Amino acid sequence: LKDMSAPLIVHFHGSSETAADYRAPEIAQKYRDMQVHLLVVDYRGYGWSNGEPSLATFMSDAEPLAEKLPELLIQHGLAWPPLGGLIL
C-alpha cells in the first residue's frame, strides 16, 4: 500500500502474539482491506525481543521507536508526519 493519505497504525501486539504473526495471509489481508499502513512492534519479552515484559519496560521500549519512526517512514517512501494520521 503506497496510498499517502492512508493512516498509519503502530500496534504493540498482545501477549500471545509476535509481530511476525501479522504476516500470515489471513491477518495481513484484513489490514490491506482496511487501507492502512501497519507497523506491528515486538516489545521486551515477546517475539524476537528478550527480557521481561512490564509496563515500565513497555514505555521505555516505545521511546526509541518514536524517535526512529520519522526516519523509518521516509526510508519506506511514506510521509512524515503521516498524511492520513497516526494511530497508536
Side-chain angles (χ1 to χ4, degrees), residues 1 6-13 22 30-32 34-41 65 69 73 78 82 84-88:
L1 175 67
L8 169 66
I9 298 174
V10 178
H11 178 62
F12 289 85
H13 60 74
Y22 287 78
K30 290 179 184 180
Y31 289 95
R32 277 194 287 278
M34 292 172 56
Q35 295 295 302
V36 299
H37 299 284
L38 177 66
L39 175 60
V40 181
V41 182
L65 174 64
L69 191 57
L73 293 179
L78 299 171
L86 177 62
I87 303 166
L88 301 172

Side-chain angles (χ1 to χ4, degrees), residues 5 8 20 23 27 30-31 36 41 51 54-55 57 59 62 69 73 83:
S5 65
L8 169 66
R23 295 178 69 186
I27 296 174
K30 290 179 184 180
Y31 289 95
V36 299
V41 182
S54 73
L55 182 57
T57 59
M59 296 303 289
L69 191 57
L73 293 179
L83 300 176

Side-chain angles (χ1 to χ4, degrees), residues 55-77:
L55 182 57
T57 59
F58 172 76
M59 296 303 289
S60 65
D61 290 347
E63 289 175 13
L65 174 64
E67 292 171 1
K68 192 80 169 167
L69 191 57
E71 180 183 335
L72 290 171
L73 293 179
I74 292 167
Q75 283 177 353
H76 290 278

